[in-house]
Amino acid sequence: MKAQVRDLQNNPQNQRPLSNKEINLDGEKPPITDYLIISQSRDTTYVDTTLSMAKDFKFNYLRQDNFELMPFANIGQPYNRLIKRFEMRRLVPQMGAVGRHDNYLEVDDVNDYYVPTPLTELYFKTAINQGQQLDALFTSNLSPQFNFSISYKGMRSAGDYVNTLTSTGNFKFTSNYFTKDKRYRLRLHTTFQDLSNQENGGLTADALQGFLAEDEDLDDRGRLEPNLDDAISLLDGKRFYLDHDYELLASKDSVSNYSLRLTNKLSYEDKFYQYQEGNATTSFLGPAYITNDLDTKTNYEQGIIQVGAALDHYLLGKIAASISRQQYTYGYSRVVNVGNEVINSRLNGEVYMFEAAYAKKIGVFELQANGGLNIAGDLDGQYLDAIASVNFDEFNIAAGAAIQSIAPQFNFQLHQSDYVNYNWQNNFSNIEKQQLNLQFNSQKYLDIELELNTIQDFVYFKEQPVLNTAGEVTGFNAAPFQANDMITYIKLKAHKSFRFLGYFGSDHTIAFQSVDQSEPVINVPTFVSRNSLFYTDRWFDNAMQVQTGVTLTYFDDYHMDGYDPVLGDFYTQNDVVNGAFPWVDIFFNAKIQQTRIFVKLENATAPLGSPNYFSAPRQPFRDFSLRFGLVWNFFL
């Protein structure tokens, strides 16, 4: 569904009345287009209860289309990146453990709501082996000016393999308010999140050989021996966020509209990544300082205060500027000695940032630009991006360019562990990135995205083999490196859907990638595709809409990134090749009133061929399974 770009709180007169007294006494309900979802950038969409292939693609743990991701065997485990994306609007690095953040709600993942009557959404889906997923949301406007929402997303899944149980919880509360004269606006949210995973490190060499040889005794995946049998990782965090502004000057004249607002944002986040293990597995992860009760906790706190101003002028366009102060602390509660090197306990610092944004619409043209600069403090950083778009009746075209300089994420700079090889302190140079992109979007024709990235001083984790006394490889760990040469990454992605013979349709997404580099630093498949063929109709006197078909996902073989549970991150490896297997799902979906029901046979071709399906080296993808669930909306 295409976003409707409108600022609700500046134009509430365009919306249906929210008072129940103003709803038709004969039982008329407000149209569904009045149930609005508001992003952090104040773009709005409305609740969509239709049944489509897009809804099928989003019916998963992340509640988003995961075409670019390769799931692990169990729900709630990390996702391997089949397609790379580079964030270009950040001035301060992240803490790390990126592989564990797929289901962690960042600020931009939190939406606000504006509804004429209370709205509830329930999502349920079965898990792997034992467990279930549930995502529940309730939102209501207590008045036309005040809305709140409360939601909880919980999941527990035992998994088919030893030591892969996952248990996660995401609690979120939001509220937004504006005065009757629309001069003051406030948004706030609070999140509490805990994501716990048992970590098995993949299969041992003997178990992997038995898996590939289709040993009948190992059809019960619980008999396959893992590299780690008592390791647990936990990502836990809480955040408090406030965004409010006040209209200082305004003119609503039809000839000379303008508005000047003073803005203020405050945010505090406290989170940690913890790795625990009952007994050290030195044969797989290398030597350790202690033999049992391993426990390493990486803490990260950040507080941000931002003040600024935003001008929306009928001639000048939209101009915004702000000054921010961010204070951070990352690290541990101890000092580690590695040989003659002392690994410090923490990275403490503060950064003062200036950011600006501009937007202007001229006829069919739209211009946008954003920039930021660290003007003082402990970290250097900057970014600048601009995009120009042209909108026509049947398509729109957008072209953009961006540059960024940013320090590597904190776990590249400092890391401690009870395992000897996971202790380091580095002073890497900033990562320099440049990006050009072109987009063509048309519901009638097709969607195309072309992106060119050049990267200097790229920082990454690289696989390091663990050797026994005989010089044999018994395990793997990872260490940070900085590439010396330029990397060029090109991506072309296209999407098109068709309808034919009235009841049939197909949906196709294809991506091509190419990397030019002197050393194998960024590894991606050259070709990724997803193709769906489906039948849709209405049954039982139009009371139920049905949608059934098959989806084939495929990517060619390549050196797939490995996953390191101690770091909670992926690393580059160039020894094992995975991929080139057809991943087929057979689905039957139905809609009855506002309820969408989903039934899916996942990896349906697994019993027909050899087990060459992997999510990462030594990490098999899930076997053939039947899963089902529903999404149910209540409009009171």
Side-chain angles (χ1 to χ4, degrees), residues 283-354:
S283 61
F284 182 65
L285 293 173
Y289 292 112
I290 55 179
T291 58
N292 50 53
D293 296 329
L294 287 75
D295 188 352
T296 300
K297 187 176 181 180
T298 306
N299 296 288
Y300 179 62
E301 293 181 57
Q302 65 169 352
I304 304 174
I305 300 176
Q306 182 188 90
V307 294
L311 174 66
D312 187 352
H313 194 274
Y314 70 105
L315 288 178
L316 300 177
K318 297 181 180 180
I319 305 172
S322 65
I323 295 289
S324 305
R325 177 183 181 268
Q326 176 170 338
Q327 189 170 15
Y328 64 87
T329 176
Y330 163 92
Y332 308 85
S333 58
R334 61 190 179 189
V335 175
V336 175
N337 293 310
V338 180
N340 296 323
E341 183 181 3
V342 176
I343 307 299
N344 292 325
S345 61
R346 288 189 175 272
L347 300 175
N348 297 312
E350 62 179 5
V351 181
Y352 292 86
M353 301 171 286
F354 171 78

Side-chain angles (χ1 to χ4, degrees), residues 38-58:
I38 311 166
S39 71
Q40 290 296 318
S41 59
R42 299 190 186 277
D43 292 342
T44 66
T45 59
Y46 55 84
V47 174
D48 184 1
T49 61
T50 60
L51 183 64
S52 64
M53 285 307 303
K55 290 299 182 64
D56 179 79
F57 297 147
K58 292 181 179 180

Side-chain angles (χ1 to χ4, degrees), residues 85-94 355 370-374 380-385 401-408 430-435 453-458:
R85 287 195 175 271
F86 303 100
E87 186 176 6
M88 301 298 289
R89 292 187 189 177
R90 182 179 290 275
L91 293 171
V92 177
Q94 298 171 298
E355 293 182 274
N370 297 272
L373 175 67
N374 291 344
D380 294 329
Q382 62 184 22
Y383 72 85
L384 177 66
D385 71 70
I403 60 172
Q404 183 195 47
S405 174
I406 189 170
N430 272 19
I431 303 170
E432 310 289 339
K433 294 181 285 187
Q434 302 82 36
Q435 184 181 96
N453 295 270
T454 58
I455 311 168
Q456 298 87 36
D457 299 321
F458 184 68

Side-chain angles (χ1 to χ4, degrees), residues 7-72:
D7 189 331
L8 166 66
Q9 295 174 353
N10 275 340
N11 300 280
Q13 67 273 15
N14 295 332
Q15 309 307 318
R16 191 179 182 90
L18 294 182
S19 170
N20 289 331
K21 296 180 181 179
E22 297 182 64
I23 296 177
N24 190 297
L25 296 179
D26 294 331
E28 178 187 350
K29 294 290 186 179
I32 199 169
T33 52
D34 280 4
Y35 293 81
L36 300 180
I37 304 170
I38 311 166
S39 71
Q40 290 296 318
S41 59
R42 299 190 186 277
D43 292 342
T44 66
T45 59
Y46 55 84
V47 174
D48 184 1
T49 61
T50 60
L51 183 64
S52 64
M53 285 307 303
K55 290 299 182 64
D56 179 79
F57 297 147
K58 292 181 179 180
F59 189 71
N60 55 53
Y61 173 62
L62 297 181
R63 307 293 305 274
Q64 67 183 37
D65 190 336
N66 60 4
F67 168 74
E68 301 184 0
L69 305 175
M70 182 64 205
F72 272 39

Side-chain angles (χ1 to χ4, degrees), residues 19 23 57 81 83 129 157 167 200 242 281 361 376 389 415 417 427 481 504 534 585 599 611:
S19 170
I23 296 177
F57 297 147
R81 265 63 177 171
I83 297 175
N129 197 348
S157 180
S167 178
N200 75 353
L242 171 68
T281 314
K361 184 174 182 179
S389 60
H415 193 268
S417 173
N427 185 23
F481 289 84
F504 296 92
F534 60 92
D585 295 335
V599 180

